[in-house]
PDB file of all heavy atoms in Angstrom:
ATOM      1  N   ASP A  19       4.055   7.238   1.266  1.00  0.00           N
ATOM      2  CA  ASP A  19       5.357   6.777   1.740  1.00  0.00           C
ATOM      3  C   ASP A  19       5.275   5.412   2.419  1.00  0.00           C
ATOM      4  O   ASP A  19       5.706   5.230   3.553  1.00  0.00           O
ATOM      5  CB  ASP A  19       5.976   7.792   2.712  1.00  0.00           C
ATOM      6  CG  ASP A  19       6.206   9.152   2.079  1.00  0.00           C
ATOM      7  OD1 ASP A  19       6.454   9.194   0.864  1.00  0.00           O
ATOM      8  OD2 ASP A  19       6.130  10.156   2.803  1.00  0.00           O
ATOM      9  N   VAL A  20       4.740   4.457   1.698  1.00  0.00           N
ATOM     10  CA  VAL A  20       4.595   3.113   2.259  1.00  0.00           C
ATOM     11  C   VAL A  20       5.979   2.490   2.429  1.00  0.00           C
ATOM     12  O   VAL A  20       6.793   2.469   1.504  1.00  0.00           O
ATOM     13  CB  VAL A  20       3.698   2.237   1.360  1.00  0.00           C
ATOM     14  CG1 VAL A  20       3.653   0.816   1.867  1.00  0.00           C
ATOM     15  CG2 VAL A  20       2.308   2.823   1.308  1.00  0.00           C
ATOM     16  N   TYR A  21       6.231   2.003   3.622  1.00  0.00           N
ATOM     17  CA  TYR A  21       7.493   1.366   3.956  1.00  0.00           C
ATOM     18  C   TYR A  21       7.694   0.137   3.065  1.00  0.00           C
ATOM     19  O   TYR A  21       6.749  -0.605   2.802  1.00  0.00           O
ATOM     20  CB  TYR A  21       7.474   0.977   5.444  1.00  0.00           C
ATOM     21  CG  TYR A  21       8.796   0.572   6.004  1.00  0.00           C
ATOM     22  CD1 TYR A  21       9.788   1.517   6.235  1.00  0.00           C
ATOM     23  CD2 TYR A  21       9.061  -0.756   6.307  1.00  0.00           C
ATOM     24  CE1 TYR A  21      11.010   1.148   6.768  1.00  0.00           C
ATOM     25  CE2 TYR A  21      10.284  -1.135   6.833  1.00  0.00           C
ATOM     26  CZ  TYR A  21      11.261  -0.176   7.060  1.00  0.00           C
ATOM     27  OH  TYR A  21      12.467  -0.548   7.581  1.00  0.00           O
ATOM     28  N   PRO A  22       8.911  -0.102   2.583  1.00  0.00           N
ATOM     29  CA  PRO A  22       9.147  -1.222   1.657  1.00  0.00           C
ATOM     30  C   PRO A  22       8.673  -2.581   2.177  1.00  0.00           C
ATOM     31  O   PRO A  22       8.165  -3.398   1.395  1.00  0.00           O
ATOM     32  CB  PRO A  22      10.669  -1.206   1.465  1.00  0.00           C
ATOM     33  CG  PRO A  22      11.064   0.216   1.704  1.00  0.00           C
ATOM     34  CD  PRO A  22      10.124   0.713   2.777  1.00  0.00           C
ATOM     35  N   ASP A  23       8.816  -2.850   3.467  1.00  0.00           N
ATOM     36  CA  ASP A  23       8.368  -4.142   4.000  1.00  0.00           C
ATOM     37  C   ASP A  23       6.849  -4.288   3.900  1.00  0.00           C
ATOM     38  O   ASP A  23       6.337  -5.380   3.670  1.00  0.00           O
ATOM     39  CB  ASP A  23       8.792  -4.310   5.462  1.00  0.00           C
ATOM     40  CG  ASP A  23      10.290  -4.516   5.620  1.00  0.00           C
ATOM     41  OD1 ASP A  23      10.988  -4.643   4.583  1.00  0.00           O
ATOM     42  OD2 ASP A  23      10.750  -4.548   6.770  1.00  0.00           O
ATOM     43  N   VAL A  24       6.131  -3.181   4.068  1.00  0.00           N
ATOM     44  CA  VAL A  24       4.672  -3.212   3.932  1.00  0.00           C
ATOM     45  C   VAL A  24       4.301  -3.361   2.463  1.00  0.00           C
ATOM     46  O   VAL A  24       3.407  -4.130   2.108  1.00  0.00           O
ATOM     47  CB  VAL A  24       4.026  -1.957   4.561  1.00  0.00           C
ATOM     48  CG1 VAL A  24       2.529  -1.936   4.317  1.00  0.00           C
ATOM     49  CG2 VAL A  24       4.332  -1.894   6.058  1.00  0.00           C
ATOM     50  N   ALA A  25       4.989  -2.656   1.580  1.00  0.00           N
ATOM     51  CA  ALA A  25       4.741  -2.785   0.141  1.00  0.00           C
ATOM     52  C   ALA A  25       4.986  -4.217  -0.324  1.00  0.00           C
ATOM     53  O   ALA A  25       4.259  -4.731  -1.184  1.00  0.00           O
ATOM     54  CB  ALA A  25       5.616  -1.809  -0.633  1.00  0.00           C
ATOM     55  N   ALA A  26       5.971  -4.870   0.253  1.00  0.00           N
ATOM     56  CA  ALA A  26       6.264  -6.264  -0.107  1.00  0.00           C
ATOM     57  C   ALA A  26       5.103  -7.186   0.244  1.00  0.00           C
ATOM     58  O   ALA A  26       4.867  -8.180  -0.447  1.00  0.00           O
ATOM     59  CB  ALA A  26       7.542  -6.733   0.579  1.00  0.00           C
ATOM     60  N   LEU A  27       4.350  -6.851   1.288  1.00  0.00           N
ATOM     61  CA  LEU A  27       3.178  -7.656   1.643  1.00  0.00           C
ATOM     62  C   LEU A  27       2.168  -7.652   0.507  1.00  0.00           C
ATOM     63  O   LEU A  27       1.581  -8.682   0.174  1.00  0.00           O
ATOM     64  CB  LEU A  27       2.514  -7.099   2.909  1.00  0.00           C
ATOM     65  CG  LEU A  27       3.349  -7.050   4.172  1.00  0.00           C
ATOM     66  CD1 LEU A  27       2.580  -6.338   5.277  1.00  0.00           C
ATOM     67  CD2 LEU A  27       3.749  -8.446   4.607  1.00  0.00           C
ATOM     68  N   ALA A  28       1.963  -6.488  -0.094  1.00  0.00           N
ATOM     69  CA  ALA A  28       1.005  -6.373  -1.193  1.00  0.00           C
ATOM     70  C   ALA A  28       1.485  -7.118  -2.429  1.00  0.00           C
ATOM     71  O   ALA A  28       0.672  -7.624  -3.207  1.00  0.00           O
ATOM     72  CB  ALA A  28       0.745  -4.905  -1.517  1.00  0.00           C
ATOM     73  N   GLU A  29       2.784  -7.189  -2.625  1.00  0.00           N
ATOM     74  CA  GLU A  29       3.310  -7.917  -3.771  1.00  0.00           C
ATOM     75  C   GLU A  29       3.066  -9.418  -3.636  1.00  0.00           C
ATOM     76  O   GLU A  29       2.911 -10.117  -4.627  1.00  0.00           O
ATOM     77  CB  GLU A  29       4.804  -7.647  -3.929  1.00  0.00           C
ATOM     78  CG  GLU A  29       5.090  -6.213  -4.352  1.00  0.00           C
ATOM     79  CD  GLU A  29       6.574  -5.905  -4.377  1.00  0.00           C
ATOM     80  OE1 GLU A  29       7.400  -6.835  -4.233  1.00  0.00           O
ATOM     81  OE2 GLU A  29       6.904  -4.721  -4.540  1.00  0.00           O
ATOM     82  N   LYS A  30       2.982  -9.904  -2.405  1.00  0.00           N
ATOM     83  CA  LYS A  30       2.770 -11.332  -2.154  1.00  0.00           C
ATOM     84  C   LYS A  30       1.290 -11.710  -2.146  1.00  0.00           C
ATOM     85  O   LYS A  30       0.952 -12.873  -2.298  1.00  0.00           O
ATOM     86  CB  LYS A  30       3.383 -11.724  -0.809  1.00  0.00           C
ATOM     87  CG  LYS A  30       4.875 -11.611  -0.754  1.00  0.00           C
ATOM     88  CD  LYS A  30       5.391 -11.958   0.621  1.00  0.00           C
ATOM     89  CE  LYS A  30       6.883 -11.747   0.715  1.00  0.00           C
ATOM     90  NZ  LYS A  30       7.383 -11.939   2.071  1.00  0.00           N
ATOM     91  N   ASP A  31       0.413 -10.741  -1.952  1.00  0.00           N
ATOM     92  CA  ASP A  31      -1.024 -11.016  -1.799  1.00  0.00           C
ATOM     93  C   ASP A  31      -1.819  -9.987  -2.586  1.00  0.00           C
ATOM     94  O   ASP A  31      -1.874  -8.810  -2.221  1.00  0.00           O
ATOM     95  CB  ASP A  31      -1.402 -10.964  -0.314  1.00  0.00           C
ATOM     96  CG  ASP A  31      -2.823 -11.404  -0.038  1.00  0.00           C
ATOM     97  OD1 ASP A  31      -3.679 -11.296  -0.950  1.00  0.00           O
ATOM     98  OD2 ASP A  31      -3.090 -11.833   1.088  1.00  0.00           O
ATOM     99  N   ARG A  32      -2.453 -10.422  -3.663  1.00  0.00           N
ATOM    100  CA  ARG A  32      -3.172  -9.502  -4.556  1.00  0.00           C
ATOM    101  C   ARG A  32      -4.421  -8.897  -3.914  1.00  0.00           C
ATOM    102  O   ARG A  32      -5.005  -7.970  -4.455  1.00  0.00           O
ATOM    103  CB  ARG A  32      -3.525 -10.212  -5.845  1.00  0.00           C
ATOM    104  CG  ARG A  32      -2.268 -10.602  -6.618  1.00  0.00           C
ATOM    105  CD  ARG A  32      -2.628 -11.184  -7.926  1.00  0.00           C
ATOM    106  NE  ARG A  32      -3.369 -10.173  -8.668  1.00  0.00           N
ATOM    107  CZ  ARG A  32      -3.438 -10.108  -9.970  1.00  0.00           C
ATOM    108  NH1 ARG A  32      -2.834 -10.989 -10.674  1.00  0.00           N
ATOM    109  NH2 ARG A  32      -4.143  -9.171 -10.565  1.00  0.00           N
ATOM    110  N   SER A  33      -4.845  -9.406  -2.770  1.00  0.00           N
ATOM    111  CA  SER A  33      -6.010  -8.827  -2.102  1.00  0.00           C
ATOM    112  C   SER A  33      -5.642  -7.587  -1.284  1.00  0.00           C
ATOM    113  O   SER A  33      -6.511  -6.905  -0.768  1.00  0.00           O
ATOM    114  CB  SER A  33      -6.695  -9.861  -1.202  1.00  0.00           C
ATOM    115  OG  SER A  33      -5.926 -10.127  -0.046  1.00  0.00           O
ATOM    116  N   ILE A  34      -4.351  -7.301  -1.180  1.00  0.00           N
ATOM    117  CA  ILE A  34      -3.876  -6.110  -0.478  1.00  0.00           C
ATOM    118  C   ILE A  34      -3.554  -5.046  -1.514  1.00  0.00           C
ATOM    119  O   ILE A  34      -2.724  -5.255  -2.390  1.00  0.00           O
ATOM    120  CB  ILE A  34      -2.628  -6.416   0.379  1.00  0.00           C
ATOM    121  CG1 ILE A  34      -2.926  -7.527   1.385  1.00  0.00           C
ATOM    122  CG2 ILE A  34      -2.143  -5.153   1.085  1.00  0.00           C
ATOM    123  CD1 ILE A  34      -1.705  -8.039   2.117  1.00  0.00           C
ATOM    124  N   ILE A  35      -4.238  -3.919  -1.426  1.00  0.00           N
ATOM    125  CA  ILE A  35      -4.061  -2.827  -2.381  1.00  0.00           C
ATOM    126  C   ILE A  35      -3.502  -1.622  -1.650  1.00  0.00           C
ATOM    127  O   ILE A  35      -4.069  -1.168  -0.659  1.00  0.00           O
ATOM    128  CB  ILE A  35      -5.398  -2.445  -3.055  1.00  0.00           C
ATOM    129  CG1 ILE A  35      -5.928  -3.640  -3.855  1.00  0.00           C
ATOM    130  CG2 ILE A  35      -5.233  -1.248  -3.962  1.00  0.00           C
ATOM    131  CD1 ILE A  35      -7.016  -4.368  -3.201  1.00  0.00           C
ATOM    132  N   ILE A  36      -2.381  -1.124  -2.126  1.00  0.00           N
ATOM    133  CA  ILE A  36      -1.778   0.073  -1.555  1.00  0.00           C
ATOM    134  C   ILE A  36      -2.091   1.233  -2.486  1.00  0.00           C
ATOM    135  O   ILE A  36      -1.745   1.215  -3.662  1.00  0.00           O
ATOM    136  CB  ILE A  36      -0.265  -0.106  -1.375  1.00  0.00           C
ATOM    137  CG1 ILE A  36      -0.001  -1.230  -0.370  1.00  0.00           C
ATOM    138  CG2 ILE A  36       0.386   1.197  -0.934  1.00  0.00           C
ATOM    139  CD1 ILE A  36       1.439  -1.572  -0.173  1.00  0.00           C
ATOM    140  N   THR A  37      -2.764   2.244  -1.946  1.00  0.00           N
ATOM    141  CA  THR A  37      -3.197   3.376  -2.767  1.00  0.00           C
ATOM    142  C   THR A  37      -2.123   4.430  -2.927  1.00  0.00           C
ATOM    143  O   THR A  37      -2.142   5.181  -3.889  1.00  0.00           O
ATOM    144  CB  THR A  37      -4.418   4.060  -2.144  1.00  0.00           C
ATOM    145  OG1 THR A  37      -4.031   4.642  -0.900  1.00  0.00           O
ATOM    146  CG2 THR A  37      -5.558   3.089  -1.959  1.00  0.00           C
ATOM    147  N   GLY A  38      -1.207   4.520  -1.976  1.00  0.00           N
ATOM    148  CA  GLY A  38      -0.325   5.677  -1.942  1.00  0.00           C
ATOM    149  C   GLY A  38      -1.106   6.878  -1.429  1.00  0.00           C
ATOM    150  O   GLY A  38      -2.179   6.720  -0.826  1.00  0.00           O
ATOM    151  N   TYR A  39      -0.590   8.053  -1.679  1.00  0.00           N
ATOM    152  CA  TYR A  39      -1.228   9.273  -1.186  1.00  0.00           C
ATOM    153  C   TYR A  39      -2.591   9.461  -1.846  1.00  0.00           C
ATOM    154  O   TYR A  39      -2.737   9.271  -3.048  1.00  0.00           O
ATOM    155  CB  TYR A  39      -0.354  10.495  -1.492  1.00  0.00           C
ATOM    156  CG  TYR A  39      -1.020  11.798  -1.153  1.00  0.00           C
ATOM    157  CD1 TYR A  39      -1.058  12.245   0.151  1.00  0.00           C
ATOM    158  CD2 TYR A  39      -1.641  12.554  -2.138  1.00  0.00           C
ATOM    159  CE1 TYR A  39      -1.686  13.438   0.479  1.00  0.00           C
ATOM    160  CE2 TYR A  39      -2.272  13.749  -1.822  1.00  0.00           C
ATOM    161  CZ  TYR A  39      -2.291  14.180  -0.510  1.00  0.00           C
ATOM    162  OH  TYR A  39      -2.917  15.351  -0.186  1.00  0.00           O
ATOM    163  N   VAL A  40      -3.591   9.803  -1.058  1.00  0.00           N
ATOM    164  CA  VAL A  40      -4.896  10.201  -1.590  1.00  0.00           C
ATOM    165  C   VAL A  40      -5.261  11.536  -0.965  1.00  0.00           C
ATOM    166  O   VAL A  40      -4.953  11.807   0.193  1.00  0.00           O
ATOM    167  CB  VAL A  40      -6.006   9.155  -1.319  1.00  0.00           C
ATOM    168  CG1 VAL A  40      -5.694   7.849  -2.019  1.00  0.00           C
ATOM    169  CG2 VAL A  40      -6.214   8.921   0.153  1.00  0.00           C
ATOM    170  N   GLU A  41      -5.897  12.384  -1.748  1.00  0.00           N
ATOM    171  CA  GLU A  41      -6.282  13.711  -1.276  1.00  0.00           C
ATOM    172  C   GLU A  41      -7.321  13.629  -0.164  1.00  0.00           C
ATOM    173  O   GLU A  41      -7.225  14.324   0.832  1.00  0.00           O
ATOM    174  CB  GLU A  41      -6.830  14.536  -2.455  1.00  0.00           C
ATOM    175  CG  GLU A  41      -7.109  15.973  -2.128  1.00  0.00           C
ATOM    176  CD  GLU A  41      -5.847  16.803  -1.932  1.00  0.00           C
ATOM    177  OE1 GLU A  41      -4.813  16.506  -2.547  1.00  0.00           O
ATOM    178  OE2 GLU A  41      -5.907  17.754  -1.125  1.00  0.00           O
ATOM    179  N   ILE A  42      -8.328  12.753  -0.358  1.00  0.00           N
ATOM    180  CA  ILE A  42      -9.422  12.649   0.607  1.00  0.00           C
ATOM    181  C   ILE A  42      -9.583  11.191   1.012  1.00  0.00           C
ATOM    182  O   ILE A  42     -10.027  10.362   0.226  1.00  0.00           O
ATOM    183  CB  ILE A  42     -10.737  13.211   0.018  1.00  0.00           C
ATOM    184  CG1 ILE A  42     -10.547  14.671  -0.358  1.00  0.00           C
ATOM    185  CG2 ILE A  42     -11.880  13.037   1.006  1.00  0.00           C
ATOM    186  CD1 ILE A  42     -11.711  15.283  -1.101  1.00  0.00           C
ATOM    187  N   VAL A  43      -9.231  10.876   2.242  1.00  0.00           N
ATOM    188  CA  VAL A  43      -9.309   9.510   2.762  1.00  0.00           C
ATOM    189  C   VAL A  43     -10.764   9.081   2.945  1.00  0.00           C
ATOM    190  O   VAL A  43     -11.091   7.902   2.807  1.00  0.00           O
ATOM    191  CB  VAL A  43      -8.537   9.412   4.104  1.00  0.00           C
ATOM    192  CG1 VAL A  43      -8.720   8.047   4.743  1.00  0.00           C
ATOM    193  CG2 VAL A  43      -7.068   9.721   3.893  1.00  0.00           C
ATOM    194  N   ALA A  44     -11.644  10.025   3.209  1.00  0.00           N
ATOM    195  CA  ALA A  44     -13.041   9.711   3.530  1.00  0.00           C
ATOM    196  C   ALA A  44     -13.718   8.874   2.454  1.00  0.00           C
ATOM    197  O   ALA A  44     -14.563   8.043   2.772  1.00  0.00           O
ATOM    198  CB  ALA A  44     -13.829  10.998   3.773  1.00  0.00           C
TER     199      ALA A  44
END
């Protein structure tokens, strides 16, 4: 549930990767 303003950061900078939900963060 990434907030749209945070998701927009990744759209502007390819070095930022948003994974979304992951089962195991470790």
Side-chain angles (χ1 to χ4, degrees):
D19 299 329
V20 175
Y21 192 73
D23 289 354
V24 175
L27 300 174
E29 291 174 9
K30 294 178 184 174
D31 187 334
R32 295 185 60 154
S33 72
I34 303 171
I35 298 103
I36 297 176
T37 66
Y39 173 79
V40 297
E41 187 72 30
I42 300 173
V43 174

